[in-house]
Amino acid sequence: MKNTHLNRLISFVMMVAFPNIILAQIKFTYDNAGNRTKREFNASLVQLDAKVLLRGGYRAGQANMATDLQTYFSANSGLLPATDPYGGNVTYNNIGNPAGAAGSVVDWIRIEIRDAVNPAVKLQSKSLLLKPNGSIVDTDGTLPEFVGQSSPVRVAVFHRNHLAVLSNSIAAFNAGTAAYDFTTALNKASQLPGDAPQMGSVNGKWYLWAGDVTNDLSVDATDMSIATNDFLKGIYDQYLLTDATLDGGVDASDMSLMNVAFINSYYSTLTNYVP
């Protein structure tokens, strides 16, 4: 088509049929740049309205998380990669543009839907985008959708350099919208007896601990060593795992933030559910 402003419609029907998962149909609409602009789904899918905060995204005097990585160089040029860093092969070509479909973005994030009784069982996984207020959206700016389950589930949230969290059981996850807000209370994050506190708080809101550079569900000496090396090199202007403050560089602020979790030996309760 000669008119580059016309949308091209791509219909994709996904039929899924295996234990605990309900049949579903999804239809996507894309623009000529390859960005998804619209999504239609039937009642067998669930919209997840989840909210989570990252300690590294906070700046003094700001109510929401900063978007330094999105607009690092200019209003339309940042450090966030167009393809997600979790191996999900999800692409958002307007990742550096706050006026894009997803709006202002802090970073990529990953959601896993897990079995409530046995959280080691992963049912679904999606790479998504984190908004400054903690909301998690898909690349078209809408709430992410997951195939409905006939039994209770838990939601696991992963970030590339913060400790992952696991929700408590969500009884109904078979249609409509399921809401889960980790920011409202410490007990919104599941933890077994004896586990370290799964989140910290600032200004009455709860956030994920920063510093899991190796993504092994704990903040330990290895994480600190890797971050120290980057700190001593004075690395900046890059999308780095060691950039705990999510501002595009590794400095004393990153080390200070990571040190809190390291000294307290913080780890994710998800270590109890590694397959």
Side-chain angles (χ1 to χ4, degrees):
M1 298 176 65
K2 293 183 178 180
N3 188 345
T4 58
H5 296 289
L6 291 178
N7 285 347
R8 58 187 177 88
L9 178 64
I10 298 177
S11 295
F12 170 69
V13 178
M14 179 182 72
M15 300 302 292
V16 184
F18 51 91
N20 296 325
I21 293 189
I22 301 170
L23 297 180
Q25 292 185 341
I26 313 172
K27 184 169 71 175
F28 298 131
T29 302
Y30 295 82
D31 62 20
N32 287 327
N35 296 307
R36 193 164 72 222
T37 58
K38 184 179 181 182
R39 178 177 54 235
E40 299 175 12
F41 64 101
N42 65 17
S44 296
L45 292 180
V46 178
Q47 287 187 317
L48 179 62
D49 184 3
K51 183 174 285 189
V52 67
L53 298 173
L54 305 177
R55 177 62 184 92
Y58 272 108
R59 305 287 182 268
Q62 294 185 0
N64 295 322
M65 292 180 289
T67 59
D68 297 341
L69 294 178
Q70 185 182 34
T71 57
Y72 187 83
F73 296 110
S74 70
N76 293 293
S77 178
L79 296 173
L80 295 176
T83 300
D84 79 275
Y86 307 110
N89 294 319
V90 177
T91 298
Y92 178 45
N93 294 324
N94 286 325
I95 189 71
N97 182 8
S104 296
V105 171
V106 176
D107 201 353
W108 289 95
I109 204 159
R110 188 172 97 246
I111 291 284
E112 289 181 358
I113 305 301
R114 297 196 174 201
D115 182 76
V117 177
N118 182 8
V121 176
K122 302 176 186 179
L123 302 173
Q124 300 170 71
S125 176
K126 280 193 175 185
S127 296
L128 301 161
L129 297 168
L130 181 64
K131 304 279 290 175
N133 68 351
S135 294
I136 297 172
V137 300
D138 215 324
T139 55
D140 58 3
T142 63
L143 295 178
E145 296 148 3
F146 295 87
V147 180
Q149 305 294 311
S150 59
S151 58
V153 304
R154 294 176 190 255
V155 174
V157 182
F158 296 82
H159 181 261
R160 59 194 179 86
N161 61 17
H162 282 63
L163 281 178
V165 290
L166 179 69
S167 77
N168 297 310
S169 178
I170 301 175
F173 199 82
N174 54 9
T177 300
Y180 203 90
D181 189 347
F182 284 94
T183 73
T184 59
L186 177 60
N187 63 13
K188 296 295 286 188
S190 174
Q191 67 180 67
L192 295 180
D195 280 353
Q198 295 297 289
M199 298 187 293
S201 66
V202 61
N203 298 328
K205 296 181 179 181
W206 293 85
Y207 57 76
L208 276 59
W209 299 112
D212 186 11
V213 171
T214 57
N215 296 139
D216 63 355
L217 303 176
S218 67
V219 181
D220 53 26
T222 301
D223 297 293
M224 295 301 294
S225 176
I226 294 172
T228 298
N229 286 336
D230 283 357
F231 168 59
L232 293 176
K233 293 176 183 177
I235 300 177
Y236 59 94
D237 290 356
Q238 296 182 41
Y239 186 65
L240 303 161
L241 286 171
T242 48
D243 176 19
T245 57
L246 310 178
D247 64 358
V250 182
D251 54 25
S253 296
D254 299 285
M255 302 306 300
S256 177
L257 209 59
M258 291 181 62
N259 201 46
V260 173
F262 171 62
I263 289 176
N264 289 284
S265 300
Y266 287 150
Y267 61 89
S268 171
T269 199
L270 281 160
T271 57
N272 298 292
Y273 305 112
V274 176

